[in-house]
Amino acid sequence: DVVVPAHSGLAQTLACLDSLEAANPDRRYEVVVVNDCSPESELAERLHERAAAGRITLLENPRNLGFVASANRGLRLHPERDVILLNSDTVVPLQWAERLRRVAYGNGAIGTVTPLSNNATICSFPRPNADNLLPVGWTLEELDSAFHHANGDGCHDLPTAVGYCMYIKRQLMDEIGYLDEHEWGKGYAEENDFCLRAAALGWRNVSADGLFVLHHGSVSFGGDKSPLLAENLAKLYRRYPDYPATVQRFVTDDPLAEARNPVVKQLLLRHARRYLLFVSHELGGGTQVAIDDLCRGLAEEGHAVLELRSQLDGKWRLQAHGTDFAATYRPDDLEWLVAELRELGIWHIHFHQIPFFPRRITELPQRLGIPYDVTVHDYLPLCPRINMMDETGFYCGDSQYDPATCNRCIAALGPEEGVERLYAEHGEDVAAWRSHHREFLGAARRVFLPSNAVAQLLKPHMSLANAVVRPHPEAPFRRKPAATPPDAVVRVAVIGAIGAHKGFDLLLACARTASKDGLPLQFVVVGYTQDDAAFDRLDNVTLTGPYRREELDALLPRQGCQVAAFFSPWPETYCYALTEAWRAGLYPVALDLGAPAERIRAAAYGDVLPVNADPKRINRALLDAVQRAGQRSKPVTIGKAYGSMLADYYGLEAPPGAPAPGRRRAPATRVRS
């Protein structure tokens, strides 16, 4: 039996029944619809018509009983049969029931089987634990065929089945009974309880990796899911206290990546014929901003980019830029990854960040036989602490020239979070670390440095004959004049996520000093800090909270600021927040370190303070900055555009068959989710 509880959703229910009928020409299963007193008269009428024509078996509840009781009516109908419990907002492909049955009987201990779907929590595709649309340009039949071709009748053990579509052996029901109507009311968590009861007796709940079923989600039993779900989940966790941890382990281990990856590869092969490969991490920040801008420019010229990104948990994600599908790999999968990249037509590699990868990731160009570039976004090639900040909380300065001192510093303070494994691969020795990175950078086609400040710091350590200073691509704009303060209070913007590397300690000291001295300074953190509570007792600091990059153009002007402060205690390599400050008409004040100081001097608009400036001096400079901001200055264009990203930024020629440099076309079709 295929049991379909139905309550609402005319179009979805009929589409479900049509797909069941199309997939059942030889009547291998009986479709049992349980009408749970539907409020939709047309739905009830259509179900009666199908039942009268012998197309379905129809059971009708005299009153609304909810999903659990309705499902149990169907489960009890034929006590000799296995059952597939199916939501009415699904669409099934051909031969779906036969494939579920083959998986179910592939092992005597298997009790339930769940197929993959676009909307099935842990069994979701392309993103697990998310509600997805089908990839653009792909039909259910094509996706199902891709999964069947890749995975056949393979399966993986699940913590529990996902109740939208669940094959249940009759032997299991005979042993443990049905869904618990009394405990779970009208629905949600009943299938989890059922499967956990089964697992306690040695039954397995598995996936059907070679089957894909479309699921619209939360249609058939109304819109009151959230309160019901929250109440029942709390009850489930009380009854099975180990269950949340079990699910979290499954999510972390993500064994179903083995089933998803081959299909993701098919999506990638259809998305583009060849790719550049960007290697980075998933921490976002300025690195991801630079990557996004490069990718957009390349896409406009018809060149697709794959991003291979490392995660703190050690896994890697391979994703086409601008899409929502990704393949997942582990460090032990490097040989498999190399083969996949070769098949995907990688023709050039651009390394951006490698801290959470193993050392072997730098072998990718040699293994693929293709050239590579490197962009230096921080000082990882010199220092496993990345920002070269020592025990003082500031830039280490001349200490960097003595590897023994560096070793002692890192032994005391530790590498940057996530870099420990990579540092251990170099024997926890800075000299060996720098030697490897010197060789890695030296073999690159080009090493891109976003500012001269980076070049000046790296060149004493590295032979950079292949290095070029390339500002990150940004749409040029004319700097706005600074706003006149409406009153005597100077409002100072501090932009971004302000942690130690962005000068959290200095910001806090300046705010406390200004408060004690009674200065008319109001600090506005446009973002958040590593410890927002530290500012609770200060009435001269406000925080706007996290924001998305695209929100900043509207968010900054609303704060009424005239000045922007940059407290980074290390020589930043670029600083996108400085660009945003200029764009908003703010007058920047920064310490004399790195790219911010270099860019302020080049623009001749802003103040640069000595590195050792104390909070009192910084506060005086912020107050004085308003007067200097109002003085007439030469108009300046901020931002660097490249006519052709491939030719003018990279200095590359397109591979055979690709659009010529400078030729523009619309980006490849995105996959939405």
Side-chain angles (χ1 to χ4, degrees):
D1 288 345
V2 176
V3 173
V4 184
H7 177 260
S8 58
L10 172 67
Q12 291 86 355
T13 302
L14 295 183
C16 173
L17 297 178
D18 286 344
S19 71
L20 287 171
E21 193 167 359
N24 194 30
D26 50 1
R27 299 285 181 145
R28 292 197 175 190
Y29 51 79
E30 181 175 341
V31 178
V32 179
V33 179
V34 184
N35 179 6
D36 191 25
C37 199
S38 173
E40 299 179 13
S41 58
E42 187 176 355
L43 175 56
E45 183 179 338
R46 294 292 188 88
L47 293 178
H48 277 285
E49 291 174 357
R50 291 186 181 233
R55 299 165 67 186
I56 63 172
T57 297
L58 180 61
L59 306 179
E60 296 191 277
N61 295 339
R63 57 184 176 83
N64 180 255
L65 300 178
F67 181 87
V68 184
S70 299
N72 276 345
R73 279 199 71 184
L75 295 177
R76 292 186 177 104
L77 182 62
H78 296 118
E80 73 283 2
R81 296 181 183 176
D82 290 353
V83 174
I84 303 174
L85 186 57
L86 184 69
N87 279 20
S88 64
D89 54 353
T90 57
V91 178
V92 301
L94 299 178
Q95 298 183 332
W96 72 290
E98 294 89 333
R99 283 181 275 163
L100 278 176
R101 183 176 177 83
R102 283 202 301 270
V103 174
Y105 284 90
N107 184 283
I110 292 176
T112 72
V113 185
T114 303
L116 304 186
S117 174
N118 60 299
N119 183 356
T121 61
I122 58 175
C123 294
S124 291
F125 176 89
R127 294 177 302 147
N129 302 296
D131 297 346
N132 304 278
L133 298 178
L134 292 187
V136 172
W138 285 75
T139 66
L140 167 62
E141 290 74 18
E142 288 174 319
L143 269 180
D144 176 61
S145 176
F147 274 101
H148 185 54
H149 178 76
N151 301 312
D153 295 330
C155 67
H156 283 84
D157 283 283
L158 304 175
T160 67
V162 184
Y164 86 101
C165 178
M166 177 169 63
Y167 191 106
I168 311 173
K169 282 181 178 175
R170 177 57 57 175
Q171 183 183 350
L172 172 58
M173 288 182 275
D174 290 341
E175 188 168 336
I176 71 169
Y178 299 102
L179 304 176
D180 190 336
E181 299 172 33
H182 174 74
E183 190 68 29
W184 307 107
K186 291 195 172 184
Y188 300 116
E190 70 282 345
E191 80 275 20
N192 308 88
D193 170 70
F194 179 86
C195 293
L196 290 169
R197 285 189 279 132
L201 297 177
W203 290 94
R204 294 171 59 195
N205 305 290
V206 305
S207 59
D209 298 345
L211 176 62
F212 188 89
V213 171
L214 174 65
H215 181 210
H216 295 290
S218 298
V219 171
S220 60
F221 277 76
D224 58 350
K225 174 179 180 176
S226 294
L228 277 174
L229 182 60
E231 179 183 345
N232 281 1
L233 280 180
K235 190 185 303 183
L236 183 76
Y237 297 160
R238 287 194 299 270
R239 178 175 285 193
Y240 304 100
D242 293 337
Y243 179 60
T246 300
V247 173
Q248 187 54 54
R249 280 195 300 273
F250 183 89
V251 170
T252 300
D253 293 342
D254 193 18
L256 286 179
E258 296 176 354
R260 295 192 309 270
N261 280 1
V263 180
V264 170
K265 184 175 73 173
Q266 295 306 311
L267 298 181
L268 292 172
L269 287 169
R270 184 180 292 191
H271 181 73
R273 289 181 299 165
R274 54 177 61 83
Y275 292 93
L276 291 91
L277 178 69
F278 284 11
V279 180
S280 188
H281 55 49
E282 285 206 327
L283 298 185
T287 299
Q288 192 59 49
V289 173
I291 286 173
D292 290 343
D293 290 341
L294 285 171
C295 288
R296 274 191 290 271
L298 289 166
E300 289 176 3
E301 299 172 24
H303 305 294
V305 175
L306 272 179
E307 295 180 62
L308 179 65
R309 293 182 292 196
S310 59
Q311 304 172 112
L312 281 171
D313 64 5
K315 287 185 289 193
W316 313 338
R317 285 169 54 84
L318 183 67
Q319 182 170 2
H321 187 83
T323 71
D324 293 311
F325 48 83
T328 302
Y329 301 88
R330 294 174 173 81
D332 290 344
D333 298 330
L334 183 61
E335 297 299 333
W336 179 25
L337 173 64
V338 169
E340 303 274 85
L341 293 176
R342 191 173 289 117
E343 189 174 347
L344 289 166
I346 303 298
W347 63 276
H348 191 78
I349 300 177
H350 188 167
F351 287 92
H352 288 272
Q353 294 280 21
I354 59 170
F356 312 133
F357 287 103
R359 177 172 171 163
R360 291 182 301 152
I361 200 67
T362 59
E363 301 171 6
L364 270 181
Q366 181 181 359
R367 288 170 177 263
L368 291 170
I370 56 178
Y372 68 97
D373 298 328
V374 180
T375 290
V376 176
H377 292 280
D378 53 37
Y379 298 104
L380 180 78
L382 299 183
C383 174
R385 290 184 54 73
I386 292 181
N387 299 322
M388 301 187 73
M389 292 165 55
D390 62 16
E391 74 284 355
T392 67
F394 274 78
Y395 170 53
C396 62
D398 290 344
S399 295
Q400 67 186 280
Y401 300 112
D402 180 11
T405 300
C406 294
N407 282 341
R408 291 192 295 270
C409 174
I410 297 167
L413 302 179
E416 183 76 6
E417 182 184 3
V419 182
E420 299 90 348
R421 286 171 294 187
L422 185 59
Y423 187 48
E425 285 193 77
H426 293 82
E428 297 187 345
D429 178 70
V430 168
W433 175 276
R434 290 177 179 174
S435 176
H436 171 73
H437 284 86
R438 188 180 300 116
E439 181 180 341
F440 173 57
L441 294 181
R445 184 193 68 101
R446 283 189 177 174
V447 176
F448 297 117
L449 309 177
S451 62
N452 285 302
V454 184
Q456 292 168 7
L457 202 152
L458 280 181
K459 282 184 176 178
H461 301 277
M462 306 276 169
S463 175
L464 295 176
N466 54 350
V468 292
V469 175
R470 284 278 194 277
H472 294 315
E474 293 189 284
F477 61 92
R478 300 286 280 185
R479 175 183 53 75
K480 295 179 182 179
T484 302
D487 50 41
V489 176
V490 175
R491 294 176 65 82
V492 180
V494 184
I495 306 168
I498 310 303
H501 69 298
K502 291 291 184 180
F504 172 86
D505 292 333
L506 195 53
L507 167 62
L508 183 59
C510 286
R512 286 173 172 169
T513 302
S515 178
K516 182 188 73 173
D517 294 346
L519 299 181
L521 283 171
Q522 182 71 32
F523 295 91
V524 182
V525 178
V526 185
Y528 61 97
T529 75
Q530 69 182 36
D531 181 13
D532 289 352
F535 299 95
D536 286 348
R537 300 177 64 180
L538 295 170
D539 58 7
N540 62 350
V541 179
T542 58
L543 301 97
T544 67
Y547 60 83
R548 295 190 300 272
R549 185 190 180 198
E550 60 269 21
E551 297 172 336
L552 202 53
D553 281 347
L555 183 61
L556 268 175
R558 293 202 300 267
Q559 309 312 313
C561 297
Q562 304 87 36
V563 177
F566 297 90
F567 295 120
S568 295
W570 66 287
E572 289 199 63
T573 60
Y574 191 71
C575 188
Y576 280 102
L578 177 59
T579 303
E580 300 301 339
W582 274 322
R583 194 190 308 276
L586 304 181
Y587 187 86
V589 176
L591 299 180
D592 194 2
L593 282 169
E598 175 186 323
R599 296 179 66 201
I600 287 173
R601 288 192 174 100
Y605 192 74
D607 290 340
V608 176
L609 303 178
V611 174
N612 61 354
D614 63 18
K616 285 184 177 292
R617 178 167 182 178
I618 293 171
N619 287 343
R620 287 198 303 271
L622 294 174
L623 290 171
D624 294 343
V626 174
Q627 281 69 44
R628 285 191 293 278
Q631 298 171 0
R632 297 188 64 181
S633 59
K634 183 176 67 175
V636 174
T637 297
I638 306 294
K640 172 67 175 176
Y642 297 88
S644 163
M645 197 65 74
L646 197 68
D648 298 333
Y649 180 86
Y650 280 97
L652 283 170
E653 294 184 359
R663 177 181 172 186
R664 303 270 172 172
R665 74 174 192 185
T669 302
R670 289 193 62 181
V671 168
R672 299 178 298 116
S673 68

